[in-house]
Amino acid sequence: MSEDHHHLRVVSPIEARVTALEELLVEKGYLSHSDIDDFVQRYEHDLGPLNGAKVVARAWTDPAFKERLLANGTAAIAELGFGGPEGDHMIVVESTDEVHHVVVCTLCSCYPWPVLGLPPEWYKSAPYRSRVVREPRAVLTEMGCEVPEDVRIEVWDSSAEARYLVLPPRPAGADGFTEDDLAALVTRDHMIGVAR
Amino acid sequence: MDSVHDLGGREGFGPIVGQHAPLFDDEWERRAMGVTMVSFRFGHNNGGTFRHSIERMDAAQYLTTRYHEHWFTGTATRLIEAGFLELGELEARAGGSVPMSRPVVAEPGEQPPPMTAEVSVGDRVRVRSWHPRGHTRCPGYVRGKNGTVVRLDPPSSLPDLEAHTDERRQEPQACVRFEAADLWGTGEGAAVHVDLWVSYLEPGDA
């Protein structure tokens, strides 16, 4: 613990509003604080991009799995034990030497929770949502993702029920790597398509 | 509704920021997310009503607040509309005003009529130039534009109805590929795929 408790702490209006709503709902008996703790815990810590990384690493090491993954993402991902809300209809798109895929939700924040967890703030922000459908190469460059000029970019706006996961190309120079070694190379940004 | 939530292709928002920021900057964001998701158990909300409650936010507030403030505002608005609590008690407890989303203005029945033609992979389709006052999942930047169906997804409940009535219409969604030149005239040349309930579509130009 720090010594923060010795200092005055200003409560922002939004903080006061959220606390008020939670307290009133608890007092009225509609939910408990622990219901919220449990939910946040599950979505912040139990789900996350480590799940998606396992899917990618399996696809890199098992050609039959990769084939199933691209044909029916939901079923193949379920083989690894992942599924549930915001992952009921998974589409996996494969980036290669010819094409680079990138995913967005221009209308809100649709995102494949079972394999990537909760979306980061930038994914839900106006700059990313407005620009990536119109100038994806500029956005990717700005985010540090250099896509070679001869690689085509394709954008997927998750505006309905399907949720998208990008299968990045297997990195060169990882020949002796185990599935676990490979999974450790895969980040959330690879699977959204803003890293390569 | 044509509100500011429909961001695809809009200009003036500047660079992507916070690329390496944590999932939550503040504890209130965790609580807002948790209250929103847990309150779905009450049965007063579905995906359509919830998304529409956010779309009904004041436009300037939407663009100047963090994402979980959208969730809080939509959630509080829906809970008050459904009678779980009153705005007065929320404001009294919060110690000040609590901005709500604006009221629903759409009348039930403003939803698009079902598409009469069958849609198949490979078909050329055009997105209806449709501007409902209520909820829709048809992004503005593809309306009136021609594209090609590349995938058909299984039927699911049309959100335009779900948000405003008890009626349900199960419809397939078409993943439609739009060429950049058709969307923006010129530009980088990246194709964009958008998933559209078939009611949003009409036969397109070859």
Side-chain angles (χ1 to χ4, degrees):
Chain A
M1 292 295 286
S2 70
E3 294 185 22
D4 282 351
H5 61 278
H6 293 305
H7 299 274
L8 266 180
R9 194 169 156 281
V10 176
V11 176
S12 68
I14 182 60
E15 195 176 346
R17 292 166 187 164
V18 172
T19 303
L21 180 64
E22 179 175 343
E23 283 179 357
L24 285 170
L25 292 174
V26 170
E27 286 167 23
K28 289 169 183 287
Y30 294 125
L31 47 74
S32 68
H33 294 300
S34 64
D35 289 338
I36 296 172
D37 296 338
D38 292 347
F39 192 92
V40 172
Q41 168 75 25
R42 171 162 162 68
Y43 278 87
E44 190 176 5
H45 299 294
D46 299 350
L47 297 180
L50 292 178
N51 291 356
K54 288 177 186 166
V55 173
V56 168
R58 176 69 55 87
W60 283 346
T61 52
D62 179 347
F65 176 78
K66 178 176 158 183
E67 200 172 309
R68 294 198 296 281
L69 183 68
L70 296 174
N72 184 337
T74 319
I77 288 167
E79 291 177 32
L80 275 70
F82 309 131
E86 299 298 307
D88 293 328
H89 189 78
M90 288 297 306
I91 301 292
V92 179
V93 287
E94 182 186 16
S95 288
T96 66
D97 291 341
E98 284 91 46
V99 59
H100 178 90
H101 297 290
V102 59
V103 179
V104 64
C105 171
T106 60
L107 294 174
C108 52
S109 58
C110 295
Y111 194 72
W113 290 1
V115 282
L116 293 187
L118 297 171
E121 184 76 13
W122 61 260
Y123 179 87
K124 303 177 285 193
S125 69
Y128 184 74
R129 286 162 53 196
S130 62
R131 293 176 54 205
V132 79
V133 291
R134 184 162 179 160
E135 46 170 2
R137 197 173 285 273
V139 168
L140 292 175
T141 301
E142 191 177 306
M143 296 181 81
C145 177
E146 294 294 342
V147 180
E149 278 302 319
D150 59 349
V151 174
R152 180 174 94 243
I153 295 176
E154 303 218 341
V155 184
W156 301 80
D157 187 352
S158 26
S159 48
E161 298 291 326
R163 297 291 173 267
Y164 292 92
L165 183 76
V166 175
L167 174 60
R170 181 176 166 143
D175 289 347
F177 282 41
T178 65
E179 202 173 311
D180 285 347
D181 295 337
L182 289 168
L185 301 176
V186 184
T187 67
R188 171 192 75 197
D189 288 0
H190 288 113
M191 295 179 280
I192 299 173
V194 298
R196 189 171 166 86
Chain B
M1 64 186 289
D2 293 341
S3 97
V4 293
H5 76 281
D6 187 359
L7 282 162
R10 298 272 73 82
E11 296 184 288
F13 291 107
I16 317 297
V17 294
Q19 200 179 342
H20 305 292
L23 276 187
F24 298 103
D25 273 349
D26 288 308
E27 180 61 16
W28 69 262
E29 297 179 289
R30 280 192 188 83
R31 307 315 288 180
M33 189 274 283
V35 169
T36 294
M37 294 308 299
V38 172
S39 69
F40 264 84
R41 294 179 194 158
F42 305 168
H44 69 299
N45 239 355
N46 57 54
T49 57
F50 174 57
R51 289 195 176 98
H52 194 49
S53 69
I54 292 173
E55 294 155 10
R56 291 189 275 129
M57 281 178 72
D58 175 81
Q61 188 199 359
Y62 183 98
L63 290 176
T64 52
T65 48
R66 287 175 65 81
Y67 198 78
H68 285 100
E69 189 159 344
H70 302 178
W71 279 33
F72 165 79
T73 306
T75 296
T77 299
R78 284 293 300 151
L79 289 169
I80 288 166
E81 287 172 347
F84 287 88
L85 74 163
E86 290 174 8
L87 178 58
E89 58 183 334
L90 183 60
E91 292 190 326
R93 183 65 64 96
S97 70
V98 181
M100 292 288 106
S101 298
R102 299 188 191 288
V104 173
V105 295
E107 299 290 336
E110 289 186 28
Q111 294 74 29
M115 191 180 184
T116 46
E118 285 274 305
V119 179
S120 305
V121 171
D123 284 357
R124 290 288 289 168
V125 291
R126 183 170 46 243
V127 183
R128 283 173 159 160
S129 190
W130 169 263
H131 297 267
R133 298 188 298 164
H135 178 60
T136 186
R137 292 293 289 174
C138 182
Y141 72 95
V142 296
R143 293 194 198 143
K145 308 291 186 183
N146 284 280
T148 304
V149 177
V150 298
R151 194 185 74 239
L152 276 177
D153 288 339
S156 68
S157 173
L158 181 69
D160 309 48
L161 280 172
E162 214 178 73
H164 298 285
T165 74
D166 293 330
E167 191 190 337
R168 295 291 178 267
R169 192 197 293 164
Q170 298 291 323
E171 276 189 3
Q173 303 123 70
C175 176
V176 181
R177 175 189 174 92
F178 298 92
E179 300 305 327
D182 290 331
L183 293 178
W184 319 113
T186 56
E188 294 183 357
V192 181
H193 303 78
V194 183
D195 297 335
L196 299 161
W197 271 268
V198 295
S199 281
Y200 304 161
L201 305 173
E202 57 192 12
D205 302 330

